[in-house]
């Protein structure tokens, strides 16, 4: 998992090759498996097979500044009901899905479609799916050009995201080593996030890790970023022998140095 995280990248260039037969069946099997893991509570995955149609309708409208990613197919994440918990679990399992897809040699990339008009989404995804906020591009990645440097999204340092006992109080690497959490926090930073904002903040307090999200200047947090990082945290914790689950404890706000943070959950370590 740690190696996987360090090397995982959003794939934005795909071969013009459809996913068919056994691989397609495996993807649909994964949808089923992960929805069941969530006890069919919060979301459904939907495969949009006609990637050309989705791309044509969303080009110029979806993604960062309307830069739509072209892929042979897309996966939609449809929430059963809009609630904080649904958004967190949907993104948790979507990231788990993306990890499983990479084992099938498939690349993927999140695409933000929140600001796309509902009428356009209804045409692209179907009437039942017009409220979808995020889709995932999937396909076989184009071979990388050895003469061109791969795009790389920088990451914050551990000290920028992990605090001791209270927000803003720095933690030493020695303390993290002593608690056996240095590797976990090194690798967790490679989780993807919307606009690569890396809004996650962690406080180590007694035998708990508290997860917070930094509130943006516009006063917003994106709970998708929370679900994704919670998934990687659970998987990385397993690699050091800690089998635990997040308890969602949302809506408490804290501030330090003029920066607001929203508490999301706690994990016993
Ligand atoms: C919720 C979410 C939405 C995203 N939306 C887009 C998007 O619309 N367009 C895009 O090119 N990348 C999108 N990304 C990809 C991030 O920019 C990318 O994960 C981040 O920059 C880190 O880069 P990496 O995935 O290559 O490590 C999104 C990521 C997340 C988690």
């Amino acid at each position: 998992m740690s190696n996987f995280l360090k090397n995982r990248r959003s794939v934005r260039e795909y071969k013009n090759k459809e996913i068919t037969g056994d691989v397609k069946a495996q993807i649909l099997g994964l949808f089923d498996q992960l929805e069941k893991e969530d006890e069919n509570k919060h979301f459904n995955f939907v495969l949009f097979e006609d990637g050309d149609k989705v791309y044509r309708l969303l080009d110029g409208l979806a993604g960062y500044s309307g830069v739509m990613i072209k892929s042979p197919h897309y996966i939609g994440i449809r929430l059963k009901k809009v609630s904080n918990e649904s958004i967190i679990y949907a993104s948790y399992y979507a990231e788990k899905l993306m990890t499983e897809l990479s084992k099938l040699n498939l690349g993927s990339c999140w695409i933000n479609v929140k600001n796309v008009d509902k009428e356009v989404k209804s045409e692209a995804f179907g009437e039942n799916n017009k409220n979808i906020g995020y889709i995932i591009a999937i396909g076989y990645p184009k071979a990388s050009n050895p003469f061109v440097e791969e795009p790389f999204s920088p990451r914050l340092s551990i000290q920028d995201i992990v605090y001791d006992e209270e927000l803003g109080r720095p933690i030493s690497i020695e303390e993290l080593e002593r608690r056996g959490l240095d590797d976990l926090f090194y690798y967790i930073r490679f989780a993807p996030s919307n606009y690569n904002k890396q809004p996650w903040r962690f406080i180590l307090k007694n035998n708990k890790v508290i997860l917070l999200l930094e509130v943006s200047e516009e006063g917003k947090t994106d709970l998708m970023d929370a679900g994704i990082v919670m998934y990687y945290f659970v998987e990385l914790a397993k690699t050091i022998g800690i089998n635990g689950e997040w308890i969602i404890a949302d809506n408490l706000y804290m501030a330090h140095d003029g920066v607001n943070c929203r508490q999301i959950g706690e994990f016993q370590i």
Side-chain angles (χ1 to χ4, degrees), residues 47-76:
L47 181 64
F48 301 127
E49 289 198 58
D50 189 350
D52 282 344
K53 176 181 160 195
V54 173
Y55 179 76
R56 187 169 36 81
L57 287 163
L58 297 192
D59 191 24
L61 304 173
Y64 300 155
S65 316
V67 181
M68 178 62 182
I69 295 163
K70 187 169 172 47
S71 62
H73 313 288
Y74 298 88
I75 295 169

Side-chain angles (χ1 to χ4, degrees), residues 13-121:
E13 303 259 359
Y14 295 91
K15 286 183 183 158
N16 189 9
K17 181 180 168 189
E18 289 195 3
I19 303 170
T20 53
D22 187 37
V23 181
K24 182 177 147 193
Q26 288 187 60
I27 295 174
L28 297 175
L30 281 169
F31 286 8
D32 230 35
Q33 177 198 321
L34 296 172
E35 286 171 13
K36 278 199 190 112
E37 268 184 49
D38 176 57
E39 295 169 358
N40 293 307
K41 276 194 194 154
H42 301 102
F43 66 89
N44 288 105
F45 292 129
V46 200
L47 181 64
F48 301 127
E49 289 198 58
D50 189 350
D52 282 344
K53 176 181 160 195
V54 173
Y55 179 76
R56 187 169 36 81
L57 287 163
L58 297 192
D59 191 24
L61 304 173
Y64 300 155
S65 316
V67 181
M68 178 62 182
I69 295 163
K70 187 169 172 47
S71 62
H73 313 288
Y74 298 88
I75 295 169
I77 303 149
R78 186 175 66 213
L79 299 182
K80 293 201 166 175
K81 91 173 195 274
V82 182
S83 69
N84 291 348
E85 199 181 278
S86 300
I87 300 171
I88 290 174
Y89 283 108
S91 50
Y92 183 105
Y93 284 103
E95 194 63 37
K96 186 163 185 178
L97 174 68
M98 289 161 91
T99 307
E100 294 300 321
L101 292 175
S102 75
K103 296 180 191 162
L104 302 174
N105 298 319
L106 293 167
S108 58
C109 185
W110 286 94
I111 305 172
N112 189 332
V113 297
K114 268 196 201 164
N115 296 326
V116 178
D117 198 88
K118 285 206 175 139
E119 271 180 35
V120 177
K121 287 198 266 193

Side-chain angles (χ1 to χ4, degrees), residues 8 10 12 63-64 110-112 153 155 192-194 196 228:
R8 78 160 288 294
S10 296
R12 296 187 174 87
Y64 300 155
W110 286 94
I111 305 172
N112 189 332
S153 302
R155 292 303 199 270
S193 56
N194 208 357
N196 198 32
I228 294 169

Side-chain angles (χ1 to χ4, degrees), residues 174-190:
E174 291 73 28
E175 173 63 8
L176 285 176
E177 277 173 11
R178 197 183 62 73
R179 303 187 66 157
L181 295 171
D182 47 329
D183 280 351
L184 186 153
F185 283 114
Y186 176 81
Y187 290 109
I188 200 81
R189 301 171 308 130
F190 294 96

